[in-house]
Each structure stands twice: as C-alpha cells, then as structure tokens.
C-alpha cells in the first residue's frame, strides 16, 4: 500500500516514543509527515504545514487535544481537515466527546500499525473524494451560471433580431402600401377638382333653365319633385367638399407613412429655426383662431438668440407641425371641459452648453395620463377618435429628432394641467458625429 498522492499528515503528541513509531510507519508508506509536541504548536504551525489529516493526542500539557480540536473546528481555514484522536483512555465518554467535537475517528493506544494505516487511508480517501466533489460542484455551478448568462444574452439578441426584422418589414410594407395608395388618391383628388367645376356648370345651366322656363311641362315638373331637386342642388356641393376633405386626409396620411418608412433624404442646410416655427404657426393659423365654442389660442414666443442651425429643415418643420397640432388638439379638448379657460402655447428656444439647441413647446391643455405616457412615441398609438388620430405624429417626430439629427425628444406632462415637449439637437451635425 503506497501513498502515491503524497498526502501530508500532522502528528500532535507529547510522547516522543509514540510519535517516533507513527512517524516511521507513515513515512515508510510514503506520507509526508510532520510532528509537533503540543496543541499550541499545532495551531501555530498549521498554516505552514497545511496537512490533509491530523493525528491528535488527547492528554498533553498546555491545551489538551479536545481544546485543540475545538479551535481547529471553529476556524474556517482548518475546520475541514479530518482529525483522528489517539487516546490511551478507553472510556466510552471520551470517544463520544471526540466525535461530538467533530473528529472523524479515534485510535486507542497502544497503537496497532495496521489499524492506524487502515484508518488513515480511509479518512484520506474520504477527504479527497469530498474535495473533488466540492470542486466539481463549484465547477458545475460556474458552468451553470455561464450557461444562464449566455442564454439570457441569446434571448436578448433574438428579441432584438425579431424586433428589427419586424420593424424593417413593417417599414417596407408601409412604404409599399403608401406608394400604392398614393397614385389612386392623387387621381381622385385631381378629378374632384374637375368634377366640382362640371357640377357647378351643370347647376348654373339648370338655374338658367329655371329662369327662362319657370313653368316646365308636367313630366319635367314631376321629375323635379321626384328627385327633390332643391335638396339635391343644396347638398351636392357639400357632398363634394367632404369628398375633398376625405381625399386630402388620405393624402396626408400617405405622406406621413412615407415620411415614417423612408424619411426622404433631402440635403442638410443651415437654417433659421425661428422662421421654421413661424411658418408652421402660420400654416396652422386657421386652427389657432376662434371657433364657435372655443376661445383663441394665445401663442407666447420666448425666442433666444440663435445661430443658424444645421438640419433637414423640412423634417424639423414637420416635427414642429406634429407637436403643435397635438397641443392644439389638447387645448380644444381642455376647452370642452372648462368654462373659464385661456388656452395658450408657449414656445421657448435657447442654446445650451454652447453646442446644443433646445426648443420647448408647452401647452396648458388636457395633459397626458401616466398610464400611457410611455407609449405616446409608439407608431399608431393614439387616444383620439377613429378618423382623427393616426398615432404617427410623435413616432415620426421622434425618428426625425433622434435618428436624423442625433438629438432627443422628451415629454413632460401632467394630466389636466398641460404638456411640454422638449426638442434638443446639436447646433452642428458634424459635432455630434465627431463625438460618436
Ligand atoms: N400636447 C399633448 N397633450 C396631450 N396629449 C398629447 C399631446 N401630444 C401628444 N399627446 C398624446 O399622444 C398621442 C400620440 O400623438 P401622435 O403620435 O401625434 O398621434 P395622434 O395625434 O394622431 O393621436 C395622442 O393621441 C395624445 O394622446
Ligand atoms: Mg398628432
């Protein structure tokens, strides 16, 4: 029986004869053996020796074997070293005490060589197996953690892939549909202009007939009554007008869809942002002025001193338009519920940190509910009635500001007291590219 691994054993015994015999036998069998004479010395030398097993005498001057065992078991670094007591005391209570203190075994003196070797080997083998098992468990835990991490990463990548795939095919679909609708809609609205003209002419002709032939023959008179001619004459222009509105609305939606799916790559130019805001306000003039049931909307401008800004002007104007229309909608909504109400939109511009521009558009309208504040930038998200909202305004604006201009678009809102949209873009697009 040769010990190939060369396990190390510490003998703690004040009896030199006993130690010598043990040292000789164990050494012979290939163990690395160290000997100390007391419990104190054992504790002192332990970090140096780092034994795989301790043979511990009970009766020693100074701290005895039990006490030494207690120390070793209380210490994190030594508590797993197997301890085998050696005792001349054959009393059962000592054996029990030794085991209770955490010893793995005991040997009764006088020592039997075969017994010592057999017990030492069993316990070393157990210890080695235990160490290997613990290592394997910890290796497996590590592997498991790593696997879990990899799995999480994979899932994230997959979600992103699916998402970007969805968005890109959605974009293509939208662009395709918008393109297909564009022609027939233009066709309808162009022909509506002619239809209007022709119908006007026909009505004029009819009027002339009525003037010059006030008393038609009974057959014609009957036809006039059967067709409720007065109503028809009155209703026809209205009908045409609503058809025009409808066509115009489809054109607008198509335009929005095309903008969203493939923002037209116009040239980047240096522009006066205030001119852009003012022209947008002018276009929206018809919606800022008095309507039967709502007061005029006050527009308060607090323009800062701005340099010319490098941007895609048409797109930035589109952003102003979308945000302002939303504000007007929110103000009209608020006006419905309040008797005394001064609707207003405040537009503030300023340069911040010397290299960015902020444009704040605030209204004192209906505000946005916390429940869906996080969704307002999602495509197709709208709280407006069917046919009024498309849910595209803010999604397009967000894309224009963040992707096309490397800026940010944020919203601060409180339900019932209003909203503020903050656009931040670099003064020069070259700065933002250099920073990347
Ligand atoms: N100034 C605002 N005040 C209150 N709600 C707003 C404001 N701006 C946007 N919203 C909310 O965000 C939603 C999405 O806006 P948008 O993308 O422009 O789509 P749409 O105007 O067609 O509904 C609106 O339906 C509205 O609920
Ligand atoms: Mg909108």
């Amino acid at each position: 029986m040769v010990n190939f691994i060369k396990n190390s054993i510490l003998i703690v015994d004040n009896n030199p004869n006993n130690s010598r015999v043990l040292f000789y036998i164990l050494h012979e069998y290939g163990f690395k053996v160290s000997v100390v004479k007391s419990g104190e010395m054992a504790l002192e030398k332990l970090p140096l020796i780092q034994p795989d097993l301790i043979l511990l005498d009970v009766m020693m001057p100074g701290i005895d074997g039990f006490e030494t065992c207690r120390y070793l078991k209380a210490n994190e670094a030594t508590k797993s070293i197997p301890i085998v007591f050696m005792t001349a005391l054959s009393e059962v209570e000592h054996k029990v005490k030794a085991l209770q203190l955490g010893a793995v075994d005991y040997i009764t003196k006088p020592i039997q060589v075969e017994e010592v070797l057999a017990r030492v080997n069993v316990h070393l083998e157990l210890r080695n197996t235990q160490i290997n098992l613990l290592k394997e468990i910890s290796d497996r835990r590590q592997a498991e953690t790593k696997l879990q991490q990899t799995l999480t990463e994979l899932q994230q990548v997959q979600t992103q892939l699916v998402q970007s795939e969805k968005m890109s095919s959605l974009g293509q679909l939208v662009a395709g549909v918008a393109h297909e609708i564009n022609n027939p809609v233009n066709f309808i609205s162009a022909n509506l202009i002619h239809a209007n003209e022709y119908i006007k002419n026909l009505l004029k002709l009819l009027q002339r007939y009525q003037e010059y032939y006030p008393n038609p023959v009974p057959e014609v008179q009957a036809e006039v009554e059967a067709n409720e001619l007065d109503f028809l004459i009155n209703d026809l222009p209205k009908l045409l007008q609503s058809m025009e509105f409808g066509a115009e609305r489809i054109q607008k939606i198509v335009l929005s869809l095309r903008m969203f799916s493939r923002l037209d790559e116009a040239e980047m130019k240096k522009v006066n942002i205030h001119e852009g805001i003012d022209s947008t306000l002018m276009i929206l003039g018809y919606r800022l002025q008095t309507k039967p049931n709502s007061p005029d909307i006050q527009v308060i401008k607090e323009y800062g001193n701005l340099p010319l800004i490098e941007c895609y002007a048409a797109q930035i104007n589109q952003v102003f338009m979308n945000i302002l229309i939303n504000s007007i909608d929110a103000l009209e909504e608020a006006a419905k519920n309040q008797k005394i109400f001064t609707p207003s939109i405040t537009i503030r511009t300023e340069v911040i940190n010397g290299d960015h521009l902020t444009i704040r558009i605030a209204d004192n309208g209906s505000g946005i509910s916390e429940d869906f504040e996080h969704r307002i930038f999602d495509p197709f998200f709208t709280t407006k009635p069917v046919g009024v909202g498309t849910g595209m305004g803010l999604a397009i604006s967000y894309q224009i500001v963040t992707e096309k201009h490397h800026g940010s678009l944020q919203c601060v809102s409180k339900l019932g007291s209003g909203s503020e949209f903050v656009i931040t873009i670099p003064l020069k697009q070259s700065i933002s590219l250099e920073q990347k």
Side-chain angles (χ1 to χ4, degrees):
M1 186 170 46
V2 177
N3 170 36
F4 292 108
I5 319 165
K6 221 148 168 73
N7 281 114
S8 126
I9 294 176
L10 173 65
I11 300 167
V12 188
D13 199 339
N14 65 322
N15 178 337
N17 289 331
N18 203 42
S19 321
R20 206 176 301 126
V21 175
L22 275 173
F23 180 89
Y24 177 74
I25 301 163
L26 293 170
H27 185 73
E28 194 73 344
Y29 276 86
F31 291 103
K32 196 170 151 236
V33 192
S34 315
V35 180
V36 293
K37 286 204 185 83
S38 67
E40 287 90 338
M41 273 177 76
L43 296 179
E44 194 191 314
K45 297 273 189 223
L46 214 70
L48 211 76
I49 300 168
Q50 297 200 336
D52 296 303
L53 185 137
I54 299 172
L55 289 170
L56 185 58
D57 189 22
V58 176
M59 303 290 259
M60 293 181 291
I63 59 171
D64 67 5
F66 292 141
E67 209 51 37
T68 310
C69 181
R70 222 192 297 273
Y71 274 120
L72 291 173
K73 290 297 161 192
N75 186 332
E76 199 56 42
T78 55
K79 74 178 196 191
S80 66
I81 304 171
I83 294 173
V84 177
F85 274 105
M86 300 179 292
T87 169
L89 310 160
S90 56
E91 282 93 346
V92 175
E93 64 197 276
H94 281 109
K95 294 175 183 170
V96 171
K97 186 172 180 190
L99 295 174
Q100 276 173 345
L101 282 173
V104 289
D105 210 347
Y106 56 85
I107 299 167
T108 313
K109 291 180 185 176
I111 289 162
Q112 305 291 313
V113 175
E114 296 299 324
E115 186 192 354
V116 171
L117 280 172
R119 290 191 192 268
V120 162
N121 273 314
V122 164
H123 291 297
L124 278 175
E125 204 160 300
L126 275 174
R127 169 152 163 88
N128 287 337
T129 312
Q130 192 191 22
I131 287 173
N132 287 339
L133 270 176
L134 286 176
K135 184 163 178 324
E136 196 169 318
I137 289 172
S138 117
D139 285 355
R140 278 184 194 212
R141 284 226 178 99
Q142 268 178 14
E144 218 170 87
T145 318
K146 188 94 194 67
L147 258 178
Q148 192 57 48
Q149 268 175 6
T150 316
L151 188 68
T152 315
E153 278 165 24
L154 265 175
Q155 279 167 341
Q156 279 168 357
V157 171
Q158 194 195 24
T159 320
Q160 281 166 4
L161 270 177
V162 169
Q163 189 59 25
S164 66
E165 178 59 30
K166 255 193 213 158
M167 283 317 281
S168 96
S169 51
L170 183 68
Q172 281 169 21
L173 178 76
V174 167
V177 169
H179 181 80
E180 288 304 320
I181 295 176
N182 201 35
N183 281 341
V185 161
N186 284 341
F187 189 68
I188 292 172
S189 64
N191 281 322
L192 271 173
I193 298 171
H194 297 304
N196 232 334
E197 201 59 36
Y198 297 163
I199 286 169
K200 231 193 270 167
N201 293 342
L202 280 174
L203 289 177
K204 216 193 280 168
L205 188 65
L206 198 61
Q207 221 180 348
R208 285 282 175 274
Y209 267 115
Q210 284 176 326
E211 271 173 41
Y212 291 100
Y213 303 98
N215 300 309
V217 293
E219 282 81 359
V220 173
Q221 188 58 40
E223 205 72 36
V224 165
E225 276 159 26
N227 285 304
E228 296 181 70
L229 192 63
D230 287 343
F231 171 79
L232 193 147
I233 291 172
N234 190 22
D235 199 48
L236 200 50
K238 288 185 201 162
L239 189 143
L240 278 169
Q241 201 177 35
S242 67
M243 283 165 78
E244 266 169 43
F245 278 146
E248 215 173 283
R249 194 166 158 70
I250 297 173
Q251 275 175 320
K252 270 191 202 153
I253 293 174
V254 166
L255 192 71
S256 300
L257 290 175
R258 295 178 82 174
M259 276 283 280
F260 181 69
S261 56
R262 180 181 44 80
L263 296 172
D264 290 327
E265 210 74 53
E267 212 181 316
M268 175 102 62
K269 273 184 294 187
K270 284 198 163 193
V271 299
N272 180 338
I273 285 291
H274 294 148
E275 277 177 8
I277 300 174
D278 290 344
S279 65
T280 310
L281 284 169
M282 200 183 68
I283 296 169
L284 287 173
Y286 74 101
R287 290 206 54 194
L288 296 168
Q289 282 149 22
T290 312
K291 288 210 180 123
N293 295 321
S294 55
D296 270 5
I297 295 172
Q298 291 189 341
V299 176
I300 303 155
K301 296 181 199 169
E302 295 176 13
Y303 287 172
N305 204 353
L306 302 186
L308 295 181
I309 310 291
E310 234 171 55
C311 65
Y312 296 105
Q315 295 181 7
I316 287 291
N317 289 346
Q318 176 84 48
V319 172
F320 298 149
M321 175 78 87
N322 292 346
I323 294 177
L324 285 167
I325 289 177
N326 284 343
S327 294
I328 296 169
D329 287 345
L331 289 168
E332 284 178 1
E333 184 66 30
K336 274 191 219 158
N337 310 323
Q338 283 161 276
K339 288 242 157 62
I340 309 158
F341 178 49
T342 316
S344 71
I345 295 175
T346 308
I347 306 171
R348 263 177 250 135
T349 61
E350 63 178 324
V351 171
I352 53 162
N353 300 330
D355 55 5
H356 279 72
L357 159 70
T358 60
I359 304 149
R360 295 163 182 275
I361 301 177
D363 63 66
N364 59 345
S366 56
I368 301 169
S369 153
E370 248 179 68
D371 294 346
F372 50 75
E373 208 179 331
H374 61 286
R375 294 181 58 200
I376 58 171
F377 295 110
D378 290 352
F380 305 112
F381 175 79
T382 179
T383 54
K384 295 168 193 173
V386 181
V388 177
T390 60
M392 295 296 284
L394 288 179
I396 292 169
S397 304
Y398 192 84
Q399 202 182 2
I400 292 175
V401 173
T402 61
E403 281 175 32
K404 292 283 156 177
H405 293 88
H406 311 104
S408 68
L409 175 59
Q410 284 156 336
C411 166
V412 187
S413 179
K414 193 157 179 273
L415 191 61
S417 46
S419 317
E420 181 178 60
F421 284 81
V422 187
I423 305 163
T424 307
I425 54 169
L427 298 183
K428 290 193 184 118
Q429 288 299 314
S430 46
I431 296 177
S432 77
L433 292 179
E434 275 162 24
Q435 282 171 349
K436 284 207 162 179

